[in-house]
Each structure stands twice: as structure tokens, then as C-alpha cells.
Amino acid sequence: MQFIKKNSISTVTPFTVTMSKQRSGSRNTSIHSRPSQHTINIPASHSLMYKSKGGCCQQCCTKENLKEQALLIATIASVIIGIGVGVALRGLKCPGDEYVNGCRITKEDITYIDFPGKIFINILKMLILPLIVSSIISSLAQLDAQSSGKMGVRALVYYFGTTIIAAIIGIILVVVIRPGSRGVSVEKKAAAKSAEARTIDTVLDLFRNLFPDNIMEAAFRSVGTKLNVTRVVATGLNNQSYNKTLFDPIIEKRDGINVLGLLLFCILFGVIISRLKEKAIILKKFFEAMLEVVMQLVRIAMLYSPIGIFFLIVAKMLEMDTLTDFVGSLGLYMATVLAGLFIHGFIVLPLILFIITRINVFKYIRGMSQALVTAFGTASSSATLPVTYRCVEEKNHIDPRVSRFVLPVGATVNMDGTALYEAVAAIYIAQLNGIPLNFVKIIVTSLTSTLASIGAASIPQAGLVTMVIVLNALGLPSDEVRTIYAVDWLLDRFRTAINVFGDSIGCAIVQHLSRHELKALDNKEKIAFLNGINDSRTIVPLIVPSNQRVSIAFDNPTFIDPQGTISDTDDADDNTKRTAF
């Protein structure tokens, strides 16, 4: 960039353009600076800024780009190699806790193998809290209340719509394929989680977590209902006996971030900052700086991702009791869930993205590859959130004002894969038990699975617990959830990847639908900047688009020529001559 000084006629070619304002009380660093009155004419015939120094090949082969591709390839390879190594080591697995008959790997050894992977998950979880707080507040602080409100409504409509679509896809597939009516019987795992739950308790827990009594406690603890169930034999009219179930709900505190409460608090906090404008500028800059620091930490943490994901996969393969779980009726159930996730994730969602935004869906999917692989390895959409931010903003170029607001909300309420999985699992269990389902019960299944998926925490295998709600809605015993426990860990990874992918597509759709509001905000910022540069202490750089002629007039600007390339032969008192370049 060449800056110009008063009363000079010269032809220059600007290359780098930035906007900077000299603070009051500081000294101008250029020796060629003097207040003056000028009109600047910029002819379109001159060569202008932003000439590409290299071709496409040179841009794609930059050092930073090569690092990104190497990290992605290493992460994908870690998953594939981890599966292979895990299957190969199963031959050395001991049936118990002692080394007998030449075995070399006990259950204790598996915990050691899993240790590097747990460290990786802990690193990502460590970044969740500062990331959610800083991203939402900094995003909404840059928006007005009307824009943020419209953006939030669009995001919620998209999330609820795609979740219902996912549940319907799962129901159609499980009714057509009927995996519960085919294959051999399924053994129930004794180690499976089984819990009692009611729909009303889940709804009330959502509101309890939305309004925490202590915002600091919400950073590490949430509220949940523990349901104690007692079944007794009661005597009714005419001394007839009948079975009666008594429910005793107990409200308890549970370890884990209360994401819903933090979301609501940060949303309101950010909106208030945007309304206070200059009064809260310090808070706005603080959270923006905090977000930049957290994103730098995310980049460092991702260097460890191939190692962590490799050990997580190996440990999971060794923890499996037997590979025969993947055949027979349970294998058909897995195939049904995976087919539904594939249809929803790689046909329905990309189709919605293309119809609304008209962008290249294949390029968008490629940009999300790192986040999808990380989601598969960690089985946690919350732990993947830092990586999702990075892929959405840096690779798919989504406006940070959109992604920093939409992604945290999506990681909490958008559970497309979980809704599909719970709908398939509930009907599959009904088929196994020979219980016919009419049309009304199928509708209840779709609605209940959608609600249960929203209530599911974004942690590994949370859907297995909330699926009890769907089973109760269909009149099925809750202990039947143990039927699918053997393969849930694998399906959990696939549905988490679809959940993360759905969040990222939501960002692109909300950005496209909010483009007019975002453009209006950008114009307001430009006008505010132009109103603020009418100052003798202002250094005025110029951004010149190609093939345009621009005339700019300022009352009393200071022009500088850092490299001394413009001659100064005019009289110092003549303040009315033109400067052209």
C-alpha cells in the first residue's frame, strides 16, 4: 500500500489495505504528514489492489494448507488402523483378570490402552465451557436484537424440522425391513443400563436446566430427576386386586455442564451488550479476545487428535465381548440404523442445503471431514464442538456471527441421529417381543423420539438412557433397552457424526437466510467508520475495488507516505489542488 501526501500528483499502485485510526495523544510515525483539504480521484485505468501472486496450485500447496490435509489424513488413518489393530489384538485378550493360556491383555490393560484417548476427550471438554460462553456472547454482541431473534427462530425451525424428518426416515426403514422379525434371538446384556423415566419429568428437567438457580454451578452441574418406582398389589372395588405402580420423583444434582442454562444466560448477556453499545465495549472486546485465545488452543489440541482417536478405537474394539453381536437380528438392526443415518446425513441434509443455498455440497462435506472424524472417535458432539467451530469458519467460510450462535444451540437441541436411532430401536424392540404397533403408536414414536433426543445430553450413549422414555410411551418394559446394548457403542459414533454434520449445515442455511440482516449490519459498521474518520488525527487508507473510479473528500485528513515515493513540490499553503493516482 502506498499512502499519499497533500498537494502531490502521482500514480501509485496500492497492494495491501487496512483501516487504522491514530489514537489521540499518540504521535504520527510518518515524517510526511500534514493536515490538509483534498479531493482524491482514482481512475479505473490504473492497476489496482489484490493481484494474486500465484495460481491455484500455489495457493493449495501453502504450508498451512498442507498441515491441514496431513492432519485430516492422519485422523482418518487413525480410525482405520485403530479398527484393524483392535481386531488383531482380540486374539490376545484374556477372558478374566489373569494371564492364563497365553493371553496378554486383561481388562486392566484395556484401561491403560484407553488412557491416551480419555486424555484427548478431557482436553476437548476442557475447552467447551470457555468456547460456548465466549462464542455466543461475542456473536450476539455484534448483532442487534432483531437480527439475533430472527436468526434464532430460523435455527430452531431448521433443527426441529430435520429432527422430525430423521425420526420419520427411521420409522419407515424399520417398518419396511422388520429386523426384529428376522434372524436369531438376541441375548440381553447384564451390564446394560436400565432406568425408569417419564416424559413429563424430561420436560420439567428441560425447564429446570434452562433457569438454573446458580449460574456458576451451571458450569459444572445440571439438574435431573431420579425416578424411584414401586410396584404393589392394590385392592379395588369388589375386593378385586390389581397391580399398581407408584412413582417417587427425586430432584438431584448431576455432574456435567448445564449447557441449556449457560446458553440462555449467554444469549441474554450478549443481547444486552449489543443494546448498550459503547457502554459495554470493554466486555465485547474481552469476549472477542477470549474466543480468539480459545480457538488457538483448539488448533493446538487438534494436533493430538490422531493419537487420541486411535487409542479410543482400539480400546473399544477390545472391550467388545464377541464379534457375533454384529450378525443375525441385531446385525439387521444395525444395518437399518446405518442406512437411515446415511440417507438422512448424505442425501436429505445435503439436498436441503443445496435447495436453499445453492452451494457445492461436496465441497462443504469435505470441509467438515475433520469434525466428522473427531465426532466418530469421541462419540460426543459437545467434545467435538471446538473442532466443528474451526471447520465451519475456516474451511467452509461461515460468518462467525452465525456459527458462534448457531453451533452451541445445535450441539444441545439438534439430535437428528439420536432421534432416528431411538425411533428405530423402539420399534425393533416391539418387533422382537411380537407387539404390533398401529398408526397412532407410530406417530407417538416419532414425536416422543424427537422430544427425547432434545432432552438427551450431548455425551456418549446418552440416547440409550433417554430411549426409556420412548419405550414407556409404547408400553414396553424399560429393561428391554438391554437388548441393543451390545452394539450401541458403535451406532453412537455414527449418530454423533450425523448430529455434528446437521449442526454445520444449519449454520450455512441460517447464514443464507440471514444474509440481508448481516449485510445491513455491515453497512452500519461502514457508515460508523466513515463518520469517525473526519478527524485530523486519522490515517486514511483506501480500499479500491477494480474497474471503478472513486472520488473521496475529507475535511481535514492526514495522508502519509511511509516509503517516500511521492514527491512534494507544491506550496505548503495551497490546500485546494488535486491529488490523483
Side-chain angles (χ1 to χ4, degrees), residues 2-5 30-32 559-567:
Q2 299 293 343
F3 291 89
I4 60 175
K5 188 175 74 70
S30 172
I31 60 174
H32 299 287
F559 299 102
I560 60 174
D561 175 23
Q563 301 181 5
T565 57
I566 303 177
S567 61

Side-chain angles (χ1 to χ4, degrees), residues 11-26:
T11 299
V12 296
T13 304
F15 289 100
T16 306
V17 181
T18 56
M19 292 191 294
S20 60
K21 188 168 181 178
Q22 189 80 10
R23 297 186 180 276
S24 59
S26 60

Side-chain angles (χ1 to χ4, degrees), residues 114-182:
D114 194 38
F115 178 75
K118 294 296 184 183
I119 294 298
F120 174 63
I121 294 180
N122 289 345
I123 292 173
L124 293 179
K125 287 184 177 180
M126 175 184 64
L127 300 173
I128 293 174
L129 180 61
L131 184 61
I132 290 177
V133 172
S134 61
S135 64
I136 294 181
I137 293 178
S138 63
S139 171
L140 295 179
Q142 301 177 50
L143 304 172
D144 54 40
Q146 184 179 7
S147 299
S148 58
K150 291 181 179 179
M151 195 178 298
V153 170
R154 289 162 182 158
L156 291 177
V157 169
Y158 163 80
Y159 288 148
F160 285 119
T162 54
T163 302
I164 293 176
I165 291 174
I168 293 174
I169 292 174
I171 290 173
I172 293 174
L173 287 177
V174 73
V175 170
V176 172
I177 299 175
R178 298 189 63 81
S181 304
R182 304 179 183 179

Side-chain angles (χ1 to χ4, degrees), residues 105-399:
I105 302 176
T106 63
K107 292 183 178 180
E108 183 179 358
D109 295 328
I110 295 176
T111 61
Y112 299 148
I113 295 173
D114 194 38
F115 178 75
K118 294 296 184 183
I119 294 298
F120 174 63
I121 294 180
N122 289 345
I123 292 173
L124 293 179
K125 287 184 177 180
M126 175 184 64
L127 300 173
I128 293 174
L129 180 61
L131 184 61
I132 290 177
V133 172
S134 61
S135 64
I136 294 181
I137 293 178
S138 63
S139 171
L140 295 179
Q142 301 177 50
L143 304 172
D144 54 40
Q146 184 179 7
S147 299
S148 58
K150 291 181 179 179
M151 195 178 298
V153 170
R154 289 162 182 158
L156 291 177
V157 169
Y158 163 80
Y159 288 148
F160 285 119
T162 54
T163 302
I164 293 176
I165 291 174
I168 293 174
I169 292 174
I171 290 173
I172 293 174
L173 287 177
V174 73
V175 170
V176 172
I177 299 175
R178 298 189 63 81
S181 304
R182 304 179 183 179
V184 297
S185 60
V186 181
E187 178 186 358
K188 297 179 182 179
K189 300 296 180 180
K193 300 176 182 178
S194 181
E196 294 285 352
R198 297 183 301 178
T199 305
I200 183 62
D201 294 322
T202 302
V203 175
L204 293 178
D205 286 342
L206 287 176
F207 284 98
R208 291 188 186 105
N209 286 309
L210 268 175
F211 304 97
D213 56 355
N214 188 333
I215 192 61
M216 299 302 295
E217 186 183 32
F220 59 88
R221 191 174 293 166
S222 60
V223 178
T225 300
K226 180 181 179 181
L227 196 63
N228 293 328
V229 180
T230 305
R231 293 179 174 86
V232 298
V233 178
T235 302
L237 298 176
N238 300 325
N239 294 325
Q240 292 182 350
S241 299
Y242 64 95
N243 295 325
K244 185 177 181 180
T245 303
L246 302 177
F247 297 99
D248 181 21
I250 300 175
I251 311 301
E252 62 180 9
K253 301 286 187 177
R254 298 174 180 174
D255 291 337
I257 300 176
N258 180 5
V259 181
L260 285 175
L262 289 177
L263 280 177
L264 182 60
F265 178 82
C266 292
I267 288 173
L268 296 176
F269 200 88
V271 170
I272 297 300
I273 288 179
S274 68
R275 288 186 174 182
L276 292 178
K277 299 185 183 300
E278 295 299 326
K279 294 182 181 179
I281 192 67
I282 297 178
L283 280 175
K284 178 181 176 182
K285 291 184 179 297
F286 168 77
F287 285 107
E288 289 176 351
M290 180 180 176
L291 181 61
E292 292 299 323
V293 172
V294 174
M295 294 306 295
Q296 290 295 330
L297 292 174
V298 171
R299 293 186 181 94
I300 297 173
M302 287 314 300
L303 298 177
Y304 181 64
S305 61
I307 300 174
I309 291 175
F310 170 78
F311 284 101
L312 284 173
I313 298 297
V314 172
K316 274 299 177 183
M317 296 302 297
L318 290 173
E319 287 177 359
M320 289 175 53
D321 293 332
T322 174
L323 294 178
T324 57
D325 290 334
F326 297 103
V327 298
S329 176
L330 207 53
L332 281 175
Y333 160 72
M334 282 186 56
T336 304
V337 174
L338 293 178
L341 293 176
F342 178 84
I343 293 173
H344 183 72
F346 296 100
I347 296 179
V348 175
L349 291 181
L351 189 61
I352 294 174
L353 177 64
F354 177 76
I355 291 175
I356 295 178
T357 66
R358 296 287 194 240
I359 68 174
N360 188 333
V361 294
F362 298 103
K363 184 178 179 181
Y364 196 88
I365 294 174
R366 185 179 65 183
M368 293 303 303
S369 301
Q370 184 76 47
L372 297 180
V373 176
T374 304
F376 181 85
T378 61
S380 172
S381 54
S382 287
T384 312
L385 189 58
V387 189
T388 310
Y389 269 109
R390 191 161 176 252
C391 292
V392 165
E393 294 179 6
E394 297 182 8
K395 296 183 180 180
N396 286 328
H397 311 294
I398 299 298
D399 193 316

Side-chain angles (χ1 to χ4, degrees), residues 496-566:
T496 301
I498 297 303
N499 291 340
V500 170
F501 186 51
D503 296 344
S504 67
I505 287 185
C507 287
I509 292 176
V510 172
Q511 176 183 259
H512 180 78
L513 297 178
S514 306
R515 62 191 183 278
H516 299 301
E517 289 87 352
L518 295 173
K519 186 176 180 180
L521 290 172
D522 291 336
N523 291 336
K524 287 182 180 179
E525 292 179 359
K526 292 177 182 177
I527 293 173
F529 171 77
L530 292 176
N531 290 336
I533 64 175
N534 190 14
D535 191 336
S536 61
R537 296 183 300 274
T538 303
I539 301 174
V540 184
L542 301 175
I543 301 180
V544 187
S546 58
N547 301 324
Q548 292 186 17
R549 180 181 180 89
V550 185
S551 294
I552 307 173
F554 299 106
D555 291 337
N556 196 19
T558 299
F559 299 102
I560 60 174
D561 175 23
Q563 301 181 5
T565 57
I566 303 177

